[in-house]
Amino acid sequence: MAERVLVIGSGGREHALAWKLAQSPHIQQVLVAPGNAGTASSGKISNSEVSVSNHSILAQFCKDHNVGLVVVGPEVPLAAGVVDDLVAAGVPCFGPSARAAQLEASKSFSKAFMDRHNIPTARWSSFTDAQEACSYICQATFPALVVKASGLAAGKGVIVARDQDEACQAVLEIMKDKAFGAAGETVVVEELLEGEEVSCLCFSDGTTVSPMPPAQDHKRLQDGDQGPNTGGMGAYCPTPQVSKEMLQEIREAVLQRTVDGMKEEGAPYVGVLYAGLMLTKQGPKVLEYNCRFGDPECQVLMPLLKSDLYEVLQSTLQGRLASSAPLWQEDSSAVAVVMASAGYPGSYKTGVEVTGLSQLEELGVQLFHAGTALRHGLLVSSGGRVLTVTAVRSSLETALHAANQGAAAVGFAGAVYRRDIGHRAIGHLARHGGLTYKDSGVDIAAGNRLVDLIKPMAKATSRSGCNAELGGFAGLFDLKAAGFSDPILVSGTDGVGTKLKIAQACGQHGTLGQDLVAMCVNDVLAQGAEPLFFLDYFSCGRLDVAVASSVIQGIARGCEMAGCALLGGETAEMPGAYGPGEYDLAGFCVGAVERAALLPRLGDVCEGDLLVGVASSGVHSNGFSLVRKVLERAGLDHRSPAPFGKAGETMGDVLLTPTKIYSRLLLPILRSGVVKAYAHITGGGLLENIPRVLPQGLAVDLDASRWNIPPVFSWLHKEGGLSQEEMGRTFNCGLGAVLVVSPPDAQRVLRQLQAQEEAWIVGSLSHKQPGAETVVVRNLAPSLRVPRAQPCGDLGGRQDGAAHGDSGAPRRRTRVGVLISGTGTNLQALMELAKRPSSSAEIVVVISNRPGVLGLKRASLAAIQTRVVDHKLYGSRAEFDGTIDRVLEEFGVEVVCLAGFMRILTGTFVKKWNGKLLNIHPSLLPSFKGVNAQKQALQAGARVTGCTVHFVAEEVDAGAIIVQEAVPVLVSDTEESLSDRIREAEHRAFPAALELVAGGAVRLGEDGCIAWSAAPLG
């Protein structure tokens, strides 16, 4: 009969035990109490809320629920006698008795025990008086520098001092200041041993020991064994430093001798015995005992165990280890990387969302949860050590690479994890082999792995003219295939400056790629050029494949956003040129523009032209040397809570906000011919970049009260004591791009921009007086001192002064209802639009004709009201539509969007909402109406298709067209790949159309055709 097993604990160790137990055919269900998000509901595994501290209640629960075995993970319940109490109640329990668990629970007991049984350990003494302990430290004939709290201190009660003064201070902190509470009432002072630490665990049935492969924990927080001690930041197994002969010595002189001694003293040891050892020149010596699996050692041992864990535990409990020793994988290595919260092992924030876990299965790694929880359907952090990523591979190096790659794939803001787990073993192996190029610091294999990783990323950026296949000596681009007839090539190169330092400090590398692409693409765009392809240069002292692939994945995403191909790049590993963890980036972009469309058109730019500003996302990628100086002056670092912005954001989060890429937004407007010049506000800020696109003799007059200045600039201005001129010459101050247009064209350009992005009319050009400044920024200092949520320039951009007079009254927003039937991806795009302060739309309700769909969840997470009107519950279409209509009226809806709504509406409903009902169709109407539009396009051999947003008419797909976006049909396209690209276009076109209608720029005329307003309404 299949068993029900209960695992006690909530960490990564307990998840690993439950995971391994669930693989046994003998087990029906694994309960974990209290468990974590990873054990909440996973196949056979689920959590239990039973109290584990009240042993009577626990025993009764086990009887009531037919629990056939309890497995205890952490040390505290063992020391509290949970095994004794459960066994006495008739519940089988795996783990040592309370008497046997004294080996871990009392350091003074364990040291005396080792002396009694001649088990090699460091010289030591225990004390209950702080002064006596300090006298011992100062008078010892050996370095008595290791100070331990005798009781249980969650694996953190050991301090290794650098000198006698520090050791005495540790004694005072433990005994006087109660750093570890009651655990420090007695302290043990030990000799400081030199050598390498290893963890040797075994199963013990009270008589026989069965050793597990030796492992090595990494206690220090940071790479290179730097930083504070932790509960463990990772482990690997097996350790090549422990030979077969040495393991046999450890088995006999430590493990077997310990079990024999406990049996001799009347406390047979049954369970897992963990010996923390130092490999000294005199041989292995015991540092400490643990009476359970280690964490994170368990997370590397369980994946290497070939035997059925349930059978192993039963053999241990039944005294049969001598005849049925467990089997372990040979010729394999396991590496576990622990991901911790920012601030750990000190104070840290919980509730941080964790994403990206679905990728780990594809990478072939195993994830074990620790400090995780489920809140409102989201996975969030709930502790210091949050996740463990474990990889098993044929070699230690490949296992480390895979585990690091897995950790890099997890979306966990501020996550701290080491990238050098097993570095001592790798060094050991290198010293025992012949000299290779890798020994000089250049890892060709790692470089090849990186290329293999980034090939699919680059291929995803393919576009007309280029297939973005990596691996050749050079890349090719076909201008004719890209549709150019008389092109001029335009090139740009840039880096991301010392923003790199912030990313490296935070351990967040994924957004730098977008920064790099943006800095180059936005420059090329200033000539009116379409970005065609991109090349990157990544240089480092030691190649960390996980970091490099994260950066280059960001570059690939940036290229997709920009519409250019990632055609190639260079990865340079240069030992000695960079410090540990450091790297540098450079990018190179090539674009093209038809000769007649080249910008700036200096001959057309004239006095009276208006300047349209496009919002930046923040600091972008310039001025970070000054930013870092201000940060230092303010006494903050990247982990400090940001004194502005969203709740819970750190300074690192804010400063790493990626640079906006403007190509897809601006290219259609630039190609229309109405823009005379475009300036990218990059290094040199507002004062130096706008004049670069102007003819001599013109001056720039900007009014900072007319645009939103992100709060990061106000903070920099205040904390750095920066002058108005310094701000304007260093930073973009909220404007990432500035367009020069004629006054008659300004409103049209503004409306086009505001459909997708925040934009304002921010100033004008005038005749430059002799001796006058080329750029004057009025109201910058007061605007920096008092950031505004709604600048007057957002109120239609009127040039007659009325906007200033109306600035106190907030603009009324159009109330929008959205009808859905499924996942709601277009709904998400519409919600993103409505979140913008400049948007004219407010989504007030989302209605679905199907219960429980993802779109409803998206709306709820955005705090938007939802309703379900299930069509199956209505006898007729008219009755169903009538209910929809009443809900829309209830919420005062003025415009309705059909976002994947899979019901045909009645004529009565369409007539009532005529001119207020918007739909999106996946083709360029009037072509390919009805269902399967993508299939129709492919069958017709169309070279171009796209999407259309239109007013809904009674005839299907026949209403007046508001916005269309073209999507080229590639020769290699399938129905699925074409649908994916059209869907991306829909996510841009639908919000743009909604903004035009909600803002009053577009309406349905009485003749059924589109009517454009001269200026936005409201």
Side-chain angles (χ1 to χ4, degrees), residues 667-687:
L667 271 173
I669 300 173
L670 300 183
R671 287 170 175 162
S672 70
V674 297
V675 175
K676 300 180 180 182
Y678 150 71
H680 176 206
I681 310 304
T682 179
L686 296 168
L687 301 188

Side-chain angles (χ1 to χ4, degrees), residues 37 350-354 371-375 378-382 386:
T350 58
V352 179
E353 185 177 359
V354 180
T372 61
L374 292 170
R375 293 182 190 166
L378 299 177
L379 178 66
V380 298
S381 65
S382 64
V386 177

Side-chain angles (χ1 to χ4, degrees), residues 42-57:
S42 177
K44 293 182 182 179
I45 307 170
S46 59
N47 288 341
S48 170
E49 296 182 4
V50 64
S51 170
V52 296
S53 58
N54 188 316
H55 299 171
S56 297
I57 292 176

